[in-house]
Amino acid sequence: MSKSYNPATVWKPFGAFSMVKIHEGGQLVHLKGQVSLDREGQIVGKGDMRVQVRQTLENIKAVLAAIGGEMADIVSLTQYTTDIERFMASGDIRKEFFSEPYPVTTTVEIVRLYRPDLQIEITAIAEIPRNRFRMPAD
């Protein structure tokens, strides 16, 4: 069970994020930054920020599922984008993956990612309840 907190002493979140997310005891996991690649390592959605955001979040969801996690277990996200305006216009896609309490989020515009056709990379920290967490076999 998690709770979010948005103190009245700072500005109110305008999107799918919280100022503070508090999780009860569980297994803390740090996810590598995910990008818009399919299982074969090919870019999905070249030139289309919305498609890339969706694929990146699907990749995060798949990584979490492999160890018993869910998107609701995410405590924190750091998002790197090459075009902040186009990324901000995809906020509705985030709401398909997250509901309250939203994870705390930092978004940074960068010059480029490791492959020029990639427009977004998102890394996450999640706390998976111990009764669902599965240690990877690999």
Side-chain angles (χ1 to χ4, degrees):
M1 181 74 174
S2 62
K3 298 170 71 173
S4 65
Y5 177 58
N6 297 307
T9 55
V10 296
W11 52 277
K12 183 178 179 183
F14 54 83
F17 61 91
S18 299
M19 292 295 183
V20 177
K21 185 169 181 182
I22 303 165
H23 234 59
E24 293 183 11
Q27 180 65 48
L28 192 64
V29 295
H30 297 258
L31 279 67
K32 181 222 175 286
Q34 292 296 310
V35 294
S36 184
L37 298 180
D38 62 18
R39 290 185 68 174
E40 288 73 42
Q42 300 302 307
I43 295 174
V44 175
K46 285 184 182 178
D48 190 329
M49 178 69 77
R50 293 180 63 79
V51 171
Q52 287 200 19
V53 167
R54 183 177 308 283
Q55 181 65 45
T56 300
L57 291 171
E58 288 289 353
N59 289 349
I60 290 171
K61 185 176 179 180
V63 170
L64 283 172
I67 56 174
E70 301 171 355
M71 294 300 275
D73 298 327
I74 294 176
V75 177
S76 175
L77 296 169
T78 303
Q79 306 170 132
Y80 302 95
T81 182
T82 58
D83 188 325
I84 197 79
E85 283 84 17
R86 287 179 36 202
F87 176 74
M88 296 301 286
S90 65
D92 59 312
I93 295 171
R94 276 182 49 112
K95 289 185 178 180
E96 295 174 25
F97 289 86
F98 299 103
S99 59
E100 292 189 42
Y102 297 120
V104 298
T105 305
T106 299
T107 305
V108 180
E109 185 175 61
I110 59 172
V111 173
R112 67 171 279 205
L113 291 162
Y114 75 101
R115 287 173 65 176
D117 290 329
L118 291 171
Q119 300 175 359
I120 183 76
E121 181 168 343
I122 303 175
T123 186
I125 299 172
E127 187 171 16
I128 302 171
R130 292 191 188 279
N131 64 330
R132 276 197 280 114
F133 177 75
R134 293 186 309 271
M135 184 64 79
D138 303 328

